[in-house]
Amino acid sequence: MSKSLNVSNEDILYQIKISAQFPGLVEAIACRKIITDTAEKVGIKLELEELQQAADNLRLTNKLLKAEDTWAWLEKHHLSLDEFEALAYTNQLSNKLATHLFAEQVEPFFYEHQLDYAGAVTYEVILDDEDLALELFCALKENEISFQEIARQYIEEPEIRRAGGYRGIQRRQDFRPEIAAAVFAATPPQILKPIITPKGVHIILVEEIIEAKLNEQLRVKILADLFAVWLKQQIAELEIVTQLNCDRTQVALP
């Protein structure tokens, strides 16, 4: 026989508080209010076609390919159809406001920070012993051993070991500063002299440096980053007053 459990609004609010999620929740509410208020002030409105596209994107993001998938997802998240549309509306309004505020700033920002968006294809082995790292580095320079052989011997994680220490394409901010400086000064293909960090002694093969290009994917990322910074600035300037009742939370923004 199945058992039932009643969860009240008080229970939900209490759990949010004791799990230290309350500040994040309040900030999310503040963001939504800032977006809707600012969009209204600058005269941004959504057409029916835009709202439909936003709803389609939301379903696609959550892999809701069938009607029954959508209804199951709504039930899981305790959302009505109107609330689903409200979520899609807020998402699209946010995108449209970001474009309105920062679309013209994306290209200048990219060229000002172009070096930060360059990529590097690297392979890496991290050791605990500096002397061993120097010995292996010298052996690599003399072609006495291959990087793949070192990876097979000294990398513990199976997936990374099988990939020969491959770290994929990483941007400058993905590396520690001391490693980034060496990686992006390299002339690929190049083995870097061992670099010591708190994680250990790094032996790095720089296979390729990829110059930054302002494609659509990067344009969207920069736009989102600029908008996120703006939102944080807006929140920092607010005095957020929370009023807690037994069954609901109200956030009042001046």
Side-chain angles (χ1 to χ4, degrees):
M1 180 177 180
S2 61
K3 298 181 180 179
S4 62
L5 175 67
N6 294 324
V7 179
S8 68
N9 290 344
E10 280 185 292
D11 293 327
I12 296 171
L13 178 57
Y14 181 69
Q15 183 62 37
I16 290 171
K17 291 172 68 178
I18 65 171
S19 58
Q21 297 181 46
F22 191 74
L25 177 64
V26 172
E27 182 173 317
I29 295 171
C31 286
R32 177 171 54 82
K33 287 181 174 289
I34 290 168
I35 290 168
T36 54
D37 291 350
T38 305
E40 183 177 356
K41 288 177 183 177
V42 300
I44 292 178
K45 297 179 181 179
L46 297 185
E47 302 296 333
L48 183 60
E49 294 80 6
E50 293 176 302
L51 183 56
Q52 181 61 55
Q53 184 61 54
D56 291 342
N57 291 341
L58 186 55
R59 280 190 283 267
L60 186 61
T61 299
N62 291 281
K63 300 179 180 179
L64 308 178
L65 304 180
K66 301 177 182 177
E68 52 265 35
D69 296 334
T70 301
W71 288 114
W73 188 86
L74 291 175
E75 183 177 359
K76 176 182 177 180
H77 294 280
H78 298 272
L79 292 172
S80 66
L81 187 58
D82 287 343
E83 289 166 337
F84 178 84
E85 292 178 353
L87 177 58
Y89 178 89
T90 301
N91 288 346
Q92 184 62 19
L93 192 67
S94 176
N95 293 336
K96 201 167 182 177
L97 179 60
T99 301
H100 174 84
L101 294 175
F102 299 109
E104 294 183 359
Q105 297 183 32
V106 169
E107 192 165 328
F109 184 89
F110 167 74
Y111 287 111
E112 185 179 349
H113 300 85
Q114 190 168 0
L115 291 178
D116 294 334
Y117 293 103
V121 179
T122 62
Y123 293 76
E124 180 183 54
V125 175
I126 304 176
L127 303 170
D128 296 326
D129 189 327
E130 184 179 359
D131 291 336
L132 174 59
L134 286 170
E135 180 182 333
L136 292 172
F137 171 72
C138 292
L140 283 166
K141 297 291 284 186
E142 296 297 326
N143 293 318
E144 296 173 357
I145 192 172
S146 70
F147 198 93
Q148 288 68 27
E149 288 175 308
I150 293 175
R152 284 196 295 270
Q153 290 183 47
Y154 296 101
I155 294 178
E156 294 183 1
E157 298 89 338
E159 292 302 318
I160 300 177
R161 183 175 64 245
R162 294 187 188 105
Y166 180 63
R167 295 293 180 173
I169 300 174
Q170 295 175 289
R171 300 196 187 278
R172 185 178 292 268
Q173 61 266 29
D174 298 325
F175 297 97
R176 293 182 61 88
E178 62 269 42
I179 293 180
V183 166
F184 288 96
T187 303
Q190 181 179 338
I191 304 289
L192 301 182
K193 185 177 180 180
I195 301 171
I196 301 174
T197 75
K199 290 184 66 175
V201 187
H202 303 247
I203 302 177
I204 298 173
L205 165 61
V206 182
E207 183 177 76
E208 182 182 1
I209 298 296
I210 302 172
E211 293 185 6
K213 294 182 179 179
L214 187 56
N215 54 27
E216 187 58 29
Q217 182 180 4
L218 183 54
R219 187 180 294 275
V220 169
K221 182 183 185 307
I222 293 174
L223 186 66
D225 290 344
L226 292 173
F227 188 58
V229 170
W230 175 80
L231 272 176
K232 286 188 177 296
Q233 291 173 342
Q234 299 302 305
I235 292 173
E237 294 172 3
L238 291 174
E239 179 185 355
I240 300 178
V241 180
T242 60
Q243 298 174 339
L244 300 182
N245 296 324
C246 62
D247 61 348
R248 64 179 179 176
T249 303
Q250 297 177 334
V251 179
L253 302 179

